[in-house]
């Protein structure tokens, strides 16, 4: 029975590996095919293929980045921004990605984040969390150990101070990254030519401020079919839900 | 103490870190390069890879594992090369490989990392194109190769002529090329290499040249022909004497390559900006002027620097916008190629301008347009105008000869013909596009919850201990309670008329209270001792006397414990008052 079970598990593992390898190879072929179309100037086709690859629950930063490029070249800067900003969630330190975001923001005349945030952008928020929590736990372990014995207390005192300082710095960085995440835009205007933000969630409401295509906004309130959004300068209003793309 | 201990522990790692940083800085003087000997090969052929490290003495063999599309490879060994250039010694270590790609398409050697004494060096990725295999039936064959078959009028076409020789090649003449419909461009020095295919080794002579199509249509690039001389062995026995006295002869011949037909198109009319002057490629452009503070009549030099990749021959400067009071003169240009074929480089245009009116406030430029053949789009950039400060009358002669002036202190305006960064060649890091747990507001608290729990538990423990400590009566308190109990007993025993036990309680209460004041065991307290030491502590003399009497009475009662109720009441009152008087002497009350 035990041997049968082992063989069964082995066969299942083999099938899983073959499926994974096969799907990986198919994915690589599709990626190369989409790239080729982009290089040939078939941006709409390339965008469609990259979109299909980005439809799954697990996506790669490279696919989203290339999708952004294809959409931008295809004249859809708002949707391109949405793809790049999604890619930024996965690979915030990617220099090409940051360059394209900067290029697009400059081209679209939309808000550009303060440069000092770029240092925090080198790591994902989960990376900052891991570093900060790890340092805090290490500090706590050292503190606990130092409390067990007078000799240990003397021996570990310097480590407690240094690791505690490092933990404090990392926690501060994590806190700043969190603060930024809670305040950074979570949606992008994708409507061609921009969209007027209105005082109320009805088409008849007067225009409060026009929002450009590709403008990064934060959703503050919801109403069926409408979002109340604010740009980084705290200007905003209600826009139809289909005119913007929510970011993950 | 903490600082010293921290330095002691962290000092060494910090030193190592500093050393690593220094090595990394030192490594900036060292470099590594990867070179493939041919840009185009055929399927089934080998290509030579050289990894060249400069400025270091020891370089381990780079690891080529994981190179995609690699069917096989062989390490040919290291080679050292030393040369002195301008008095500075340049030392190179070269690792050589023979590689065979697996299939057609791009064969890319990714960036290789080499760990040296000067730190980790990285090479730039290199690539070659693997073309379909063509049979090599003759001992010599010639072919023309281009990277693609579609080009635009005015676009520089780089091409290669490759001569394959499976013979003892003695001499070759430069190839003759028919370029009907093209303008011949630059030539790179010929490259000699070798390849292994079909079980044989071929010498490959590569000529890299450029040509620019001048009209649209199906244009043949070529044909090409090349004269050669090979040495062949004479018919004979082939012994020592044949070899020594010339057993071989040299024969000449000519080998031809068929033309390669290219599809040449005009740059698209759709989207072509007004003022497009035929620039093809991807460029950055910079404009600068010799000075901005000048007087009417002063000449200034406007310099445009165009850097990038493309057809520099057809490149023209953006031009200065026509402005009243601004006289422009014909300019000069120069080109500094960064590669052998002049496809990458910097072209500089200089133009003399004379300001003839004090009303001129700026130099404005016409937009610069270029067609990018890769994305098949036009890229445009508007150079911002450079403000001028024109003051006063004519201060000197006008422009003489239009020569460039000193550009040392020039404000530089940089504007680039920008575009997106290129596509990623690999999907890269994957992940789920859901909000990270670590971004939730409660996560930091959850993450440090055990720490908080630890700290909270410690605080609770300390607080409980302190509370218990406070709640627990101390020895003095117990003594006080004992005194109070005994005083209460006195009243009870007085009522009961139990003289014996009354005086025992009286003695005990006084001893306990005196012990509280003096800090001594109650059993050690006698009347004399109490009187003497309490007097020293400030007990009034009259009280001291009364104390002596009470102790004496209690002492006497041990032998004759009979007493009237009035006496018991008297002694109880005396004892109570003395205890109260002694309480005032207690420290800390």
């Amino acid at each position: 029975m035990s041997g049968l079970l082992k063989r069964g598990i082995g066969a299942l593992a083999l099938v899983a590996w073959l499926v994974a390898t096969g799907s990986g190879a198919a994915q690589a072929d599709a990626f190369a095919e989409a790239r080729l179309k982009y290089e040939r100037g078939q941006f709409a086709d390339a965008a469609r293929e990259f979109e299909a690859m980005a439809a799954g629950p697990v996506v790669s930063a490279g696919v989203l980045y290339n999708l952004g490029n294809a959409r931008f070249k295809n004249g859809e800067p708002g949707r391109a921004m949405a793809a790049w900003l999604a890619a930024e969630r996965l690979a915030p330190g990617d220099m090409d990605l940051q360059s394209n975001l900067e290029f697009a923001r400059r081209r679209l005349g939309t808000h550009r984040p303060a440069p000092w945030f770029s240092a925090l952008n080198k790591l994902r928020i989960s990376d900052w969390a891991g570093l900060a929590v790890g340092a805090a736990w290490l500090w706590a372990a050292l503190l606990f150990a130092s409390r067990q014995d007078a000799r240990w207390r003397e021996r570990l005192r310097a480590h407690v101070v240094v690791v505690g300082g490092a933990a404090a710095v990392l926690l501060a960085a994590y806190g700043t990254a969190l603060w930024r995440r809670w305040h950074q835009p979570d949606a992008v205007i994708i409507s061609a030519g921009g969209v007027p933000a209105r005082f109320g969630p009805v088409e008849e409401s007067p225009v409060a401020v026009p929002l450009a295509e590709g403008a990064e906004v934060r959703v503050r309130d919801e109403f069926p079919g409408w979002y109340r959004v604010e740009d980084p300068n705290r200007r905003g209003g209600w826009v139809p839900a289909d005119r913007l793309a929510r970011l993950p | 103490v903490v600082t010293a201990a921290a330095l002691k522990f962290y000092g060494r790692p910090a030193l190592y870190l500093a050393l690593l940083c220094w090595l990394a800085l030192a490594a900036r003087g060292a470099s590594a390069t990867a070179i493939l000997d041919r840009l185009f090969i055929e399927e089934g052929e080998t290509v030579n890879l050289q990894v060249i490290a400069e400025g270091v003495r020891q370089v381990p063999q780079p690891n080529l594992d994981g190179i995609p599309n690699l069917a096989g490879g062989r390490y040919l060994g290291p080679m050292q090369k030393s040369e002195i250039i301008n008095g500075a010694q340049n030392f190179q270590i070269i690792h050589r490989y023979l590689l065979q790609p697996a299939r057609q398409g791009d064969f890319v050697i990714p960036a290789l990392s080499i760990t040296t004494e000067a730190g980790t060096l990285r090479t730039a990725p290199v690539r070659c194109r693997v073309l379909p295999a063509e049979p090599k039936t003759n001992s010599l064959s010639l072919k023309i190769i281009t990277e693609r078959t579609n080009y635009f009028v005015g676009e520089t076409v780089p091409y290669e002529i490759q001569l394959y020789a499976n013979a003892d090649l003695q001499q070759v003449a430069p190839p003759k090329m028919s370029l009907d419909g093209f303008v011949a461009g630059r030539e790179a020095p010929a490259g000699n290499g070798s390849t292994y295919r079909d079980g044989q080794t071929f010498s490959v002579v590569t000529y890299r040249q450029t040509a620019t199509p001048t009209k649209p249509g199906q244009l043949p690039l070529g044909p090409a022909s090349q004269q050669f001389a090979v040495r062949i062995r004479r018919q004979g026995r082939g012994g020592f004497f044949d070899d020594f006295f010339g057993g071989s002869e040299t024969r000449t011949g000519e080998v031809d390559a068929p033309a390669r037909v290219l599809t040449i198109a005009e740059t698209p009319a759709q989207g072509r900006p007004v003022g497009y002057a035929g620039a093809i490629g991807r460029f950055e452009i910079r404009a600068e002027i010799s000075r901005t503070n000048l007087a009417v009549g002063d000449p200034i030099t406007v310099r445009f620097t165009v850097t990038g990749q493309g057809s520099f021959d057809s490149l023209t400067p953006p031009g200065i916008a026509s402005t009243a009071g601004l006289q422009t003169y014909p300019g000069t240009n120069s080109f500094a190629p960064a590669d052998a074929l002049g496809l990458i480089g910097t072209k500089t245009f200089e133009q003399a301008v004379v300001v003839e009116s004090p009303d001129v406030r700026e130099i404005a430029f016409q937009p610069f347009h270029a067609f990018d053949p890769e994305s098949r789009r036009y890229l445009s950039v508007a150079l911002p105008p450079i403000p001028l400060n024109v003051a006063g009358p004519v201060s000197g002669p006008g422009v003489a000869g239009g020569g460039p002036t000193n550009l040392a202190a020039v404000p530089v305006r940089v504007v680039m013909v920008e575009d997106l960064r290129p596509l990623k060649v690999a999907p890269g890091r994957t992940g789920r596009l859901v909000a990270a747990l670590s971004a939730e507001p409660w996560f930091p608290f959850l993450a440090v919850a055990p720490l908080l729990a630890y700290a909270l538990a410690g605080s609770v423990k300390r607080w409980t201990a302190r509370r218990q400590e406070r709640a627990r009566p101390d020895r003095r308190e117990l003594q006080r309670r004992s005194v109070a109990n005994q005083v209460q007993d006195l009243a009870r025993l007085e009522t009961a008329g139990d003289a014996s036990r009354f005086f025992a309680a009286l003695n005990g209460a006084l001893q306990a209270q005196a012990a509280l004041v003096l800090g001594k065991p109650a059993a050690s307290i006698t009347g004399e001792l109490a009187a003497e030491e309490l007097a020293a502590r400030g007990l009034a003399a009259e009280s001291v006397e009364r104390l002596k009497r009470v102790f004496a009475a209690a002492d006497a009662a041990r032998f004759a414990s009979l007493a009237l109720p009035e006496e018991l009441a008297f002694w109880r009152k005396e004892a109570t008052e003395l205890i109260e008087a002694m309480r005032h002497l207690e420290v800390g009350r």
Side-chain angles (χ1 to χ4, degrees):
Chain A
M1 184 63 192
S2 163
L4 191 64
L5 187 66
K6 278 183 186 171
R7 277 198 292 276
I9 291 172
L12 275 175
L14 181 65
V15 168
W17 181 80
L18 286 172
V19 168
T21 314
S23 68
Q27 174 92 350
D29 288 346
F31 189 83
E33 184 66 24
R35 273 186 57 221
L36 194 61
K37 286 188 174 163
Y38 177 93
E39 300 296 353
R40 285 175 178 159
Q42 300 165 347
F43 302 122
D45 293 342
R48 261 193 301 278
E49 296 195 8
F50 282 127
E51 262 168 12
M53 277 180 266
V58 177
V59 293
S60 83
V63 167
L64 289 169
Y65 169 90
N66 287 2
L67 172 61
N69 277 31
R71 282 174 171 172
F72 195 88
K73 291 277 189 182
N74 197 40
E76 303 171 279
R79 291 179 187 278
M81 287 294 293
W84 284 328
L85 289 168
E88 193 186 29
R89 299 283 201 265
L90 297 175
D94 188 305
M95 296 301 291
D96 290 336
L97 177 61
Q98 292 302 329
S99 171
N100 280 0
L101 279 170
E102 171 70 15
F103 170 72
R105 283 168 181 148
R106 204 164 50 239
R107 179 70 69 87
L108 298 169
T110 56
H111 178 81
R112 290 150 67 188
W116 66 272
F117 275 133
S118 60
L120 284 174
N121 236 353
K122 300 292 179 197
L123 293 178
R124 292 180 299 177
I125 202 159
S126 51
D127 299 332
W128 282 117
L131 283 173
V133 172
W137 274 81
L138 179 62
W139 173 73
L142 287 169
L143 196 64
F144 178 77
S146 72
R147 292 292 166 90
Q148 304 308 307
D149 190 308
R151 283 174 305 167
W152 278 101
R153 179 175 301 184
E154 203 56 38
R155 201 173 291 173
L156 292 177
R157 184 181 293 172
H159 304 291
V160 168
V161 171
V162 172
V163 175
V169 170
L170 288 169
L171 280 168
Y174 173 39
T176 313
L178 264 184
W179 180 86
R180 190 203 168 194
R181 180 64 182 269
W182 296 337
H183 291 83
Q184 78 183 67
D186 59 359
V188 179
I189 302 295
I190 57 171
S191 176
V195 63
R198 301 181 182 280
F199 284 110
V202 285
E203 287 292 349
E204 292 76 17
S205 181
V207 175
V209 62
L211 293 172
E213 182 179 9
E216 297 159 66
V217 294
R218 186 155 188 91
V219 174
R220 295 291 182 194
D221 203 356
E222 292 183 35
F223 186 78
W226 292 79
Y227 286 119
R228 187 171 68 80
V229 299
E230 245 181 33
D231 71 3
N233 295 322
R234 297 194 174 277
R235 301 173 314 160
W238 292 90
V239 296
D242 59 352
R243 304 292 180 86
L244 56 81
R246 297 294 299 269
L247 298 173
Chain B
V1 173
V2 168
T3 310
L7 278 176
K8 186 179 173 187
F9 186 80
Y10 293 99
R12 189 168 293 179
L15 192 66
Y16 290 150
L17 192 65
L19 190 64
L20 274 175
C21 292
W22 180 81
L23 284 175
L25 284 173
R28 294 174 70 180
S31 64
T33 316
I35 297 174
L36 288 171
D37 68 340
R38 287 192 295 155
L39 298 181
F40 298 95
I41 63 171
E42 291 183 10
E43 190 175 6
E45 290 183 357
T46 58
V47 62
N48 289 293
L49 169 70
Q50 290 190 342
V51 181
I52 305 169
E54 283 187 68
V56 285
R57 295 277 169 180
Q58 297 287 333
V59 181
Q61 180 189 341
N63 183 8
L64 300 190
D65 292 343
I67 291 181
N69 191 19
L70 179 64
R74 190 153 59 88
Y75 180 54
L76 301 178
M79 197 169 78
Q80 293 187 351
K81 196 172 160 186
S82 180
E83 56 189 3
I84 295 175
I85 302 170
N86 294 332
Q89 188 181 17
N90 183 29
F91 189 77
Q92 293 182 336
I93 295 178
I94 304 168
H95 290 282
R96 298 168 303 149
Y97 298 84
L98 194 64
L99 306 178
Q100 186 173 33
R103 55 182 177 270
Q104 296 174 29
D106 279 346
F107 176 60
V108 180
I109 308 288
L112 302 172
S113 291
I114 313 167
T115 305
T116 69
E117 77 268 16
T120 301
L121 306 178
R122 283 176 71 81
T123 65
V126 288
R127 69 169 193 137
C128 72
R129 177 72 61 85
V130 183
L131 304 170
E134 295 175 9
K136 303 285 186 240
T137 50
N138 299 326
S139 57
L140 281 99
S141 62
L142 192 69
K143 66 174 180 177
I144 301 168
I145 306 166
T146 57
E147 193 159 4
R148 53 183 208 266
T149 55
N150 294 292
Y151 290 89
F152 292 93
V153 174
E155 181 182 3
T156 304
V157 179
Y159 63 93
E160 277 192 9
I161 304 171
Q162 290 188 350
L163 173 66
Y164 279 71
N166 182 21
D168 189 0
L169 199 60
Q170 293 294 297
Q171 204 172 2
V172 287
K176 293 175 185 168
M177 183 85 178
S178 170
L179 290 171
D180 188 21
F182 292 85
V183 174
R186 290 169 178 261
E187 292 182 16
N192 290 303
S194 64
T195 190
Y196 185 78
R197 57 175 287 171
D198 306 329
Q200 293 177 307
T201 301
F202 287 80
S203 300
V204 184
V205 186
T206 305
Y207 300 89
R208 300 190 65 214
Q209 300 173 355
T210 62
T212 305
T214 56
K215 59 184 179 183
Q218 300 284 320
L219 297 186
L221 183 69
S225 62
Q226 188 167 22
Q227 292 180 333
F228 61 86
V230 292
R231 189 168 63 181
I232 55 172
R233 187 177 292 278
R234 281 193 185 128
Q235 295 293 331
R237 287 176 298 175
F240 169 79
F241 290 101
D242 278 353
D243 287 344
F244 188 78
F245 292 106
S248 60
E249 62 178 333
T250 301
R251 288 186 184 172
T252 59
E254 189 171 282
V255 62
D256 298 319
R260 185 168 172 81
V261 178
L262 304 180
T263 304
I264 309 298
E266 294 280 8
T267 53
Q270 187 183 4
R272 183 185 294 161
V274 177
Y276 170 67
I280 296 179
R282 289 185 172 189
F283 304 104
E284 294 179 3
I285 184 164
R286 192 173 78 177
E288 53 194 333
I289 63 172
S290 55
R291 53 184 166 152
T292 54
N293 292 311
L294 66 159
V296 172
D298 280 354
I300 52 175
T301 301
V302 179
R303 175 186 287 177
F304 300 101
T305 309
V306 184
T307 308
Q309 179 173 1
S311 307
F312 281 93
D313 292 338
S314 58
L315 200 64
T316 55
I320 298 168
S322 177
T323 309
L326 204 65
Q327 182 65 46
T328 59
Y329 293 86
T332 60
N333 69 73
S334 60
F335 178 56
D339 68 338
L341 292 179
L343 294 169
I344 304 170
T346 301
K347 193 165 186 177
T348 306
F349 301 90
E350 287 188 343
Q351 192 166 10
V353 176
V354 175
V355 179
E356 296 179 332
S357 165
D359 298 330
V360 176
R361 289 284 173 265
E362 62 182 22
I363 291 187
F365 305 100
Q366 291 166 350
F368 178 75
H369 312 284
F371 178 72
D372 179 7
E374 288 186 27
S375 63
R376 295 166 185 255
R377 285 161 61 94
Y378 290 95
L379 301 169
S380 300
V381 64
L383 288 161
I386 300 178
L388 294 178
N389 184 16
V390 184
V394 176
S395 63
V399 62
T405 54
N406 181 19
L407 290 162
V410 172
V412 175
R413 295 301 180 99
V414 178
V415 179
M416 293 190 295
V417 176
E418 290 180 306
D419 199 5
L420 300 177
R421 292 285 176 96
L423 289 192
K424 300 285 182 193
V425 295
R429 178 187 277 185
T430 58
R432 286 182 179 274
L433 275 179
V434 293
L437 280 182
S438 50
E440 297 293 336
W442 45 262
F443 184 83
F445 298 101
L446 181 70
V448 296
L451 297 181
L452 296 175
Y454 171 66
L456 189 65
S459 300
V460 169
K461 192 177 170 186
R462 278 196 297 278
W463 178 73
T464 309
R466 200 171 294 164
R467 194 174 168 194
Q468 284 174 348
E469 189 68 22
R470 279 198 201 123
R472 187 188 306 145
D474 63 358
R475 187 177 55 81
R476 297 172 64 81
E477 187 60 34
L478 288 173
Q479 272 183 296
R480 280 192 200 102
R481 286 182 193 175
S482 169
V483 171
N485 289 340
Q486 285 172 320
V487 169
Q488 281 179 359
D489 284 348
L490 287 177
R492 186 174 51 80
L493 293 169
E494 179 196 336
T495 308
D498 188 348
S500 168
R501 292 176 66 191
F502 175 87
F503 282 106
L506 183 80
N507 191 57
L510 289 171
Q511 277 183 316
Q513 184 58 52
L516 270 171
V517 176
L518 300 176
K520 291 185 174 178
S524 68
I525 301 294
T526 62
E528 288 300 320
L529 178 73
E532 185 183 339
E533 294 204 3
L534 287 171
R537 298 282 178 107
L539 188 65
E542 178 260 338
S543 297
V544 172
E545 289 304 317
R546 288 167 66 192
L547 185 67
K548 283 182 184 173
R549 283 201 298 274
V550 175
F551 267 112
D555 224 16
R558 281 194 289 178
F559 305 102
S561 58
L562 292 173
L564 294 172
E566 294 80 14
E567 287 176 309
L568 294 181
F570 171 77
W571 291 119
R572 184 170 71 85
K573 180 171 170 290
E574 283 288 290
T576 308
E577 288 176 359
L578 285 168
I579 285 169
E580 190 60 33
M582 282 191 283
R583 268 187 192 153
H584 291 294
L585 300 179
E586 275 185 53
V587 178
R589 275 187 68 87

